[in-house]
Amino acid sequence: MGLLKYKGYTGSVDYSEEDNCLYGKVLGMSKDAITYEGQDVNELRKDFEEAVDDYLSLCKAQGKEPRVPYSGNLNIRITPEIHSRIAMMAMQAGTTINGFIRDTLANAVGIAKPINV
C-alpha cells in the first residue's frame, strides 16, 4: 500500500480489481471519513487533495474544527509489571516515562530523532 500526504493528512492507496481503479481514504479519521478514487496515480492524488480541501471547506462553513488525524496522544493499557519496568528504565536513562516510551517507539519505527513534544 502506498501513501499520499497533503496538508497534514495521510491517505491510503489501494487498487480495486473489480472496479479497475485506485482508491483510498484518509487514515486516522475515527469519526469523519474522507475517501477518493482515480484511474491513475495523478488522478488519485488530485481527487485526494480535492477531498481534503472539500472537507476543510465544509468544516469552515459549518464553523467546526476539522479533525486532525493522529493527534499524538495515545492511551494504552499495560500490566503493572511492564509499567514498573518502564519506569525503572526511564529513571536509569534520565528521562520521563513518556520520553522513554516516545524514544523507544521512534526507534522501533525507524525515526532516528523523535520530535520532542
Side-chain angles (χ1 to χ4, degrees):
M1 174 176 76
L3 297 175
L4 299 171
K5 295 186 183 290
Y6 181 67
K7 293 187 176 180
Y9 294 86
T10 301
S12 63
V13 176
D14 293 295
Y15 173 69
S16 170
E17 188 173 343
E18 181 179 320
D19 297 324
N20 191 32
C21 73
L22 298 170
Y23 69 96
K25 67 179 180 177
V26 171
L27 304 174
M29 302 291 283
S30 60
K31 296 188 181 184
D32 294 335
I34 303 173
T35 61
Y36 44 90
E37 64 181 50
Q39 293 301 310
D40 58 39
V41 174
N42 290 331
E43 193 175 300
L44 182 74
R45 181 180 309 281
K46 183 176 184 281
D47 200 45
F48 165 65
E49 292 175 0
E50 288 175 355
V52 169
D53 287 340
D54 288 347
Y55 171 72
L56 295 173
S57 294
L58 180 64
C59 288
K60 186 176 181 177
Q62 293 178 347
K64 74 175 195 174
E65 195 66 29
R67 295 189 189 278
V68 180
Y70 305 118
S71 67
N73 294 317
L74 177 65
N75 184 9
I76 62 168
R77 300 197 191 292
I78 56 176
T79 67
E81 180 183 7
I82 293 171
H83 195 166
S84 175
R85 287 189 186 188
I86 290 171
M88 285 187 284
M89 293 174 80
M91 190 181 335
Q92 289 171 348
T95 188
T96 63
I97 291 174
N98 279 340
F100 180 81
I101 292 170
R102 182 184 60 243
D103 293 349
T104 301
L105 291 173
N107 185 51
V109 299
I111 299 174
K113 292 186 177 189
I115 299 169
N116 291 325
V117 183

